[in-house]
Amino acid sequence: MPLDHRLTPEHEELRRTVEQFAHDVVAPAIGDLYERHEFPYGIVAEMGRMGLFGLPFPEEYGGMGGDFLALGIALEELARVDSSVAITLEAGVSLGAMPLYRFGTEEQKRRWLPKLCSGEMLGAFGLTEPEGGSDAGGTRTTAVRDEAAGEWVINGSKCFITNAGTDITGLVTVTAVTGRTPEGKPLISSIIIPSGTPGFTVAPAYSKVGWNASDTRELAFDGVRVPLANLVGEEGRGYAQFLRILDEGRIAISALATGLAQGCVDESVAYARQRHAFGRPIGANQSIQFKIADMEMRAHMARVGWRDAASRLVLGEPFKKQAALAKLYSSTVAVDNARDATQIHGGYGFMNEYPVARMWRDSKILEIGEGTSEVQRMLIARELGLTG
């Protein structure tokens, strides 16, 4: 059914507030943090005070009582300026807190969500493994019941986990094999591991191409023991749970990618107006005008895509296909716009002091994280009834 993507007054007020915050607070500070590979603790704390980490959660758990569309709006506006800050929010909400809200017990929600919603604490989601990225069903991390002690004993490792090793990380929810079906297929469950649990090792931060002011780590579990009550949702339903979480997360990543694409337009328009060559602004050249017009077209259509998927989610309608479409298209658009913005800037686009250089470095991961472009095509084909 056709959906109205115009923002409500409340959503528009949020958009303007985050836009102003991104330009006034994030933009002046993020360049130095990015080059030093430093996590933006001060910015994150201010985002917490603004309520951004609690946007889609009910007030009874410390949230703002908003919806997923509100989260996407905030992510887009942040990513117009910087993606490291945006992915910190996206992962903290979609991957850190959302599994507990969707599938956790009432005790788990009341224990963890208030601090996650306030930004005082970050949560992470441990899914990807060194030998299991797109093939998440190939999980090798195990969790074995010790009934006498009332504990899970967890062994294994995870990689590429966002927000896993900051000073304010409080927990990681990990997927682990907790049994087998009669046919021998793994039963995957989700289990909370609080930071600092003995046997839980957080590796040094990765040296990355982009997202350099965000936190990404490898995790290892060697005989980690946590209470049986740390199980999130039903035992053996972890696979189905994370599929739902990833469907929602793809909408959030699409909003982030749209923001990066729009940021490339913003920077290119400004540069084309002030940069002169052969006696006039380069923006007077039709070749530059057409390139920027194409960039704006892509960003606009990406926005339509993620808002359509988010609106369906909010209305309780099926949204899996729309989320995959939005994620596939917007991530492609982000890469295309970052490339074109760099070209418009010429040699300056290759200098890290210019935001488009950061956007170029940050764009490629959007075609990989939370489901590669190939996985999105596979999901779309399946939703169209194509199997095998």
Side-chain angles (χ1 to χ4, degrees):
M1 61 176 286
L3 296 171
D4 186 350
H5 302 302
R6 290 172 295 184
L7 300 183
T8 64
E10 293 77 15
H11 282 137
E12 176 57 25
E13 182 180 0
L14 170 67
R15 190 202 67 75
R16 288 197 304 266
T17 299
V18 179
E19 178 187 35
Q20 196 69 44
F21 171 77
H23 284 279
D24 292 350
V25 177
V26 179
I30 197 60
D32 288 342
L33 292 169
Y34 192 94
E35 290 307 310
R36 295 198 303 267
H37 295 237
E38 289 187 18
F39 188 78
Y41 287 104
I43 293 173
V44 169
E46 196 157 345
M47 288 163 58
R49 288 191 290 270
M50 292 170 65
L52 299 189
F53 286 93
L55 277 173
F57 301 111
E59 295 178 8
E60 64 179 302
Y61 300 121
M64 298 295 289
D67 55 25
F68 215 84
L69 181 60
L71 174 64
I73 290 167
L75 290 170
E76 181 179 336
E77 291 303 324
L78 288 171
R80 285 177 70 172
V81 171
D82 179 71
S83 291
S84 291
V85 171
I87 193 59
T88 299
L89 175 62
E90 190 278 333
V93 175
S94 296
L95 302 180
M98 194 60 74
L100 301 180
Y101 174 63
R102 292 289 186 209
F103 308 110
T105 64
E106 190 64 23
E107 192 279 332
Q108 289 170 346
K109 293 176 185 178
R110 296 200 177 277
R111 177 181 177 185
W112 299 108
L113 285 180
K115 286 191 175 182
L116 294 173
C117 287
S118 70
E120 298 173 66
M121 175 188 292
L122 289 176
F125 188 62
L127 171 63
T128 304
E129 299 190 356
E131 296 184 23
S134 297
D135 180 20
T139 298
R140 295 191 176 185
T141 297
T142 61
V144 178
R145 283 175 174 269
D146 181 343
E147 295 288 0
E151 295 174 327
W152 294 103
V153 183
I154 304 167
N155 289 281
S157 62
K158 302 289 179 179
C159 61
F160 311 138
I161 309 304
T162 305
N163 292 345
T166 74
D167 293 344
I168 56 173
T169 300
L171 66 102
V172 179
T173 302
V174 303
T175 52
V177 177
T178 54
R180 297 278 173 178
T181 67
E183 298 76 28
K185 294 183 179 180
L187 291 171
I188 297 176
S189 304
S190 298
I191 301 172
I192 299 168
I193 302 179
S195 298
T197 301
F200 175 21
T201 302
V202 180
Y206 288 105
S207 175
K208 298 174 292 188
V209 171
W211 284 359
N212 285 336
S214 72
D215 181 80
T216 316
R217 311 273 182 149
E218 185 172 357
L219 310 177
F221 316 108
D222 183 8
V224 171
R225 289 178 171 268
V226 298
L228 293 177
N230 282 25
L231 177 72
V232 179
E234 296 179 42
E235 185 175 351
R237 293 287 296 166
Y239 191 85
Q241 290 171 17
F242 78 67
L243 289 178
R244 165 69 189 224
I245 293 299
L246 290 181
D247 284 341
E248 295 184 8
R250 284 166 186 144
I251 300 174
I253 288 292
S254 181
L256 189 158
T258 300
L260 188 151
Q262 189 65 58
C264 289
V265 177
D266 299 340
E267 295 296 330
S268 296
V269 169
Y271 185 80
R273 285 173 174 166
Q274 63 91 17
R275 172 67 170 171
H276 283 66
F278 304 103
R280 65 177 186 171
I282 65 171
N285 298 320
Q286 195 174 69
S287 61
I288 299 295
Q289 293 173 358
F290 281 11
K291 192 181 290 289
I292 294 177
D294 284 345
M295 293 166 64
E296 175 72 5
M297 172 189 67
R298 296 173 194 143
H300 174 77
M301 297 311 299
R303 184 174 301 109
V304 170
W306 84 253
R307 287 189 182 178
D308 176 45
S311 297
R312 293 173 187 272
L313 168 58
V314 170
L315 292 172
E317 298 180 356
F319 66 93
K320 178 185 285 288
K321 182 178 74 172
Q322 286 75 18
L325 287 165
K327 203 274 185 181
L328 174 62
Y329 181 72
S330 61
S331 59
T332 303
V333 161
V335 172
D336 289 345
N337 277 18
R339 182 189 61 245
D340 285 352
T342 302
Q343 191 70 22
I344 289 168
H345 279 68
Y348 291 108
F350 205 62
M351 301 297 111
N352 285 327
E353 64 187 277
Y354 281 78
V356 294
R358 191 168 69 243
M359 292 171 178
W360 184 57
R361 292 162 68 179
D362 289 341
S363 64
K364 181 57 189 175
I365 187 60
L366 297 169
E367 295 185 314
I368 299 171
E370 294 203 38
T372 63
S373 294
E374 291 77 13
V375 166
Q376 304 315 308
R377 290 184 170 92
M378 178 183 70
L379 293 172
I380 293 164
R382 285 179 179 174
E383 289 294 305
L384 293 173
L386 301 173
T387 60

